[in-house]
Amino acid sequence: MSDAPERSVTTGAAEPPRTGAVVPVLALSGIVVSLMQTLVIPIVGQLPQYLNASASDTAWAITATLLAAAVATPMMGRLGDMYGKRRMLLVSMAMLVVGSVVAGFSDTLTPMIVGRALQGLSSGVIPLGISILRDELPAEKLGSATAMISASLGVGGALGLPIAALIADNFDWHALFWTSAALGVVALVLVVALVPESKVRTGGRFDLVGAAGMAAGLICLLLAISKGGDWGWSSGTTLGLFAASVVVLIAWGFFELRTERPLVDLRTTARPQVLVTNLASVAIGFAMFSMSLVIPQVLQLPEQTGYGLGQSLLSAGLVMAPSGLVMMALAPVSALVSRARGPKVTLMIGALIVAAGYGLNVALMSEVWHFVLASCVIGAGIGFCYGAMPTLIMGAVPASETGAANSLNTLMRSIGTSVASAVAGVVLAQMTTQFGPYALPSEDAFRTVLALGAGAALLGFVVAAFIPKQRGSAEAKALLAEGGAPEAAEAAKA
C-alpha cells in the first residue's frame, strides 16, 4: 500500500464476471484453511510419542504455524494487490497442500515443523478471498458475501474439532494431514476452475526490506507471547524478545513511512476508520478464542472434579460445532444490519452478543446443553463482528489496497487470539485444584477466563464506538446504488 501512483491492469472488453460459484468456492477455501488449524488438536498430547521428542519441542508444531501465518498473511495481501489476488490465493492453497503432504509423511520432529509452517503460509486465503469479492461482485451482493467468507473462519474451526477427533479415533494419525491435503486439492481445483482473476492491481516492486522487518518484529512479538509461559514471563529470553519486537517494529515503521512503495501504507492504516477497526479486532480476536480455551477442557474433565462433565473429545467437538453453523446462518443477517445501520453498528451489536454469551456461560456450566447454548450465542456475536470488520476496512481504503488492508486486519485478530491463549494459560496455571496427584485448573479459573472473554468483547464494543462515520456518504450511497463499490469507497473517504 502506498501513495505512489497506481495502475490498474485490465484486459479485454468489459465482461460480466463469473460470480455464481465464486462465493461458495471462496467460503470452502476458508473453511479448509481453518480446518487445518484445528486438525492437530486431538493429537497434541500424543505428538511427543509419535515424533519421539519432548513435549516442549513438539509444541513448535503449533508455534510454527502461528508464526508462519502471522508473517504470510500481510505479505500475501500485498502481493495479491500487486500481482493478482487469485494468483496469490492459489499459491496459498498450494502451500497448504504441500505442507499437509510433508506432515503426512513425517515421523520425526523436523519435517513435522516444516509441514506445519508451510500450512501456516496458507492463512492469507480468507482476506484474499474477501478482496476478490470486492473486485468481482456487484455492490448489492458484497455485504452478505463478505460476511459469509468471514464466517468461514469460525465454521472451519468449530467443525474441525469433531472431524479431527473422529479421524484420530479411527485411523492412523497421519490421516489427519492426508485429509487436509485432499481438501486442499479440491479447493485448489475449484479456485482454478471457477474463480476469475481480479483486474484491479497496483503493480510496482515488492518491499523486501519492509517484509523482512515486519517478519522479524512479528516473530519476536508472537514468540514472546506464545512461549512466555514456558520460558517464564520475567526471563531474559521473553523480555528480550518483547524489547526486540518494539525496537524492530518502530524501525520498520520509520522505514515504511519513507519508502515509495511500502509493504504496509501506515498513512492509510492510520486513517481513523482503519485504525480503530483494527484495535477493535484485537479485542474481538481475544474474545473469540477464550471460548475455545475453556469449553473443550471443562467438557472433558472427569465428573469427579465436581465441575467437569466427563465427555470425550468427539463429544466436546460436537458441542462446539453448532456455533460455527450459527456463524454461517447469521452472515446474511449481519449484512442486512450493516446495510440498514452501517457496519459500525453491526460490530457493536456483535460485541455485545459475545459478551452476553460469556456472561451466560459464567452462570451456566453444569450441563452439556449449557455449553451448547453459550457457544451458539458467542458464535452469533462473532458472526456479526467478522462480517462487519472487513466491510469497515473496505469502506476506508481504495480497491487497489484491499488485499493488504484486509490481511492486516486478519493479523490484528490473530494477535488477539495469541494474547488470549497466553493470558488464559497464566490464569489456568495459577488457579488450580488438586485432583489426586494432579493439579488441574479450578472451576474459578475457567470462570475467570470466560469473564475475561466477556471483558474483551465489551472493550471491543467501547473501541468500536469511536469508529468515525464515513464522510461523503450521500455520494457513496449513490455510487453503491449503481454498483460502483470501489468508487463508492473513494467517495466515502473524500
Side-chain angles (χ1 to χ4, degrees):
M1 303 189 295
S2 78
D3 294 328
E6 298 167 350
R7 62 183 179 88
S8 178
V9 177
T10 58
T11 58
E15 297 178 359
R18 299 171 293 162
T19 60
V22 169
V23 176
V25 169
L26 293 177
L28 174 64
S29 300
I31 290 172
V32 169
V33 169
S34 53
L35 276 171
M36 170 274 298
Q37 298 173 343
T38 313
L39 280 176
V40 296
I41 290 178
I43 62 169
V44 167
Q46 288 74 45
L47 278 179
Q49 175 187 346
Y50 293 152
L51 301 176
N52 193 28
S54 67
S56 59
D57 287 339
T58 57
W60 285 99
I62 308 299
T63 305
T65 307
L66 167 70
L67 298 179
V71 171
T73 300
M75 290 187 189
M76 282 299 180
R78 176 60 178 145
L79 288 168
D81 287 336
M82 293 174 63
Y83 303 120
K85 302 175 184 73
R86 175 179 177 269
R87 181 177 297 174
M88 290 303 111
L89 181 65
L90 291 172
V91 170
S92 297
M93 293 305 302
M95 290 298 99
L96 172 65
V97 174
V98 173
S100 299
V101 170
V102 171
F105 277 118
S106 66
D107 286 307
T108 56
L109 182 62
T110 300
M112 172 62 75
I113 292 176
V114 171
R116 290 290 292 163
L118 289 170
Q119 286 185 317
L121 295 179
S122 68
S123 296
V125 162
I126 290 178
L128 284 169
I130 292 172
S131 303
I132 289 172
L133 294 180
R134 182 182 186 181
D135 295 343
E136 300 301 327
L137 294 188
E140 65 272 12
K141 295 182 179 180
L142 181 59
S144 58
T146 298
M148 188 74 69
I149 301 301
S150 296
S152 67
L153 176 64
V155 173
L159 297 181
L161 191 57
I163 293 173
L166 189 63
I167 294 172
D169 286 345
N170 294 280
F171 301 95
D172 178 76
W173 65 276
H174 293 92
L176 294 167
F177 298 103
W178 294 118
T179 300
S180 177
L183 292 172
V185 169
V186 171
L188 185 66
V189 171
L190 290 175
V191 170
V192 170
L194 300 172
V195 176
E197 179 59 272
S198 169
K199 298 179 178 64
V200 180
R201 303 184 194 175
T202 63
R205 180 181 299 175
F206 184 68
D207 178 16
L208 287 173
V209 175
M214 185 194 67
L218 287 176
I219 287 174
C220 289
L221 176 63
L222 292 174
L223 264 181
I225 292 173
S226 62
K227 304 295 286 184
D230 296 331
W231 295 336
W233 293 106
S234 60
S235 71
T237 302
T238 302
L239 294 178
L241 284 170
F242 275 127
S245 69
V246 172
V247 172
V248 171
L249 289 175
I250 288 175
W252 170 78
F254 278 111
F255 176 83
E256 292 295 276
L257 288 171
R258 286 162 174 74
T259 191
E260 182 180 0
R261 283 198 174 272
L263 177 73
V264 177
D265 188 340
L266 296 180
R267 294 178 179 85
T268 298
T269 304
R271 290 173 184 166
Q273 182 162 324
V274 179
L275 177 62
V276 181
T277 300
N278 283 333
L279 292 175
S281 298
V282 176
I284 297 301
F286 186 110
M288 181 201 77
F289 202 58
S290 298
M291 170 179 68
S292 302
L293 296 168
V294 170
I295 294 180
Q297 290 196 61
V298 176
L299 287 169
Q300 293 179 80
L301 284 175
E303 293 181 354
Q304 292 85 344
T305 59
Y307 52 91
L309 299 181
Q311 301 295 307
S312 66
L313 179 62
L314 177 59
S315 297
L318 291 173
V319 168
M320 298 286 290
S323 66
L325 300 179
V326 169
M327 288 185 205
M328 187 67 77
L330 288 182
V333 179
S334 168
L336 288 174
V337 174
S338 293
R339 182 177 298 180
R341 304 298 301 274
K344 171 183 173 178
V345 173
T346 306
L347 179 57
M348 295 173 70
I349 291 173
L352 288 179
I353 295 173
V354 171
Y358 277 115
L360 193 65
N361 209 177
V362 169
L364 300 174
M365 291 181 61
S366 58
E367 302 287 344
V368 171
W369 70 266
H370 292 169
F371 291 95
V372 176
L373 175 62
S375 65
C376 285
V377 174
I378 295 169
I382 294 296
F384 269 67
C385 293
Y386 275 20
M389 287 186 287
T391 304
L392 284 163
I393 295 295
M394 289 190 292
V397 302
S400 58
E401 299 180 8
T402 305
N406 275 327
S407 296
L408 184 62
N409 181 251
T410 300
L411 175 62
M412 293 299 104
R413 284 183 260 170
S414 297
I415 290 175
T417 62
S418 299
V419 173
S421 179
V423 171
V426 171
V427 171
L428 297 178
Q430 295 298 319
M431 302 176 65
T432 61
T433 184
Q434 267 322 109
F435 181 68
Y438 303 103
L440 298 177
S442 66
E443 185 176 15
D444 286 341
F446 290 118
R447 292 186 190 276
T448 299
V449 175
L450 292 172
L452 288 172
L458 291 175
L459 177 61
F461 170 84
V462 172
V463 173
F466 290 92
I467 297 174
K469 292 183 178 179
Q470 289 178 292
R471 294 174 292 169
S473 57
E475 182 182 356
K477 288 179 180 179
L479 286 166
L480 283 171
E482 297 171 4
E487 295 83 356
E490 292 293 338
K493 296 186 299 162

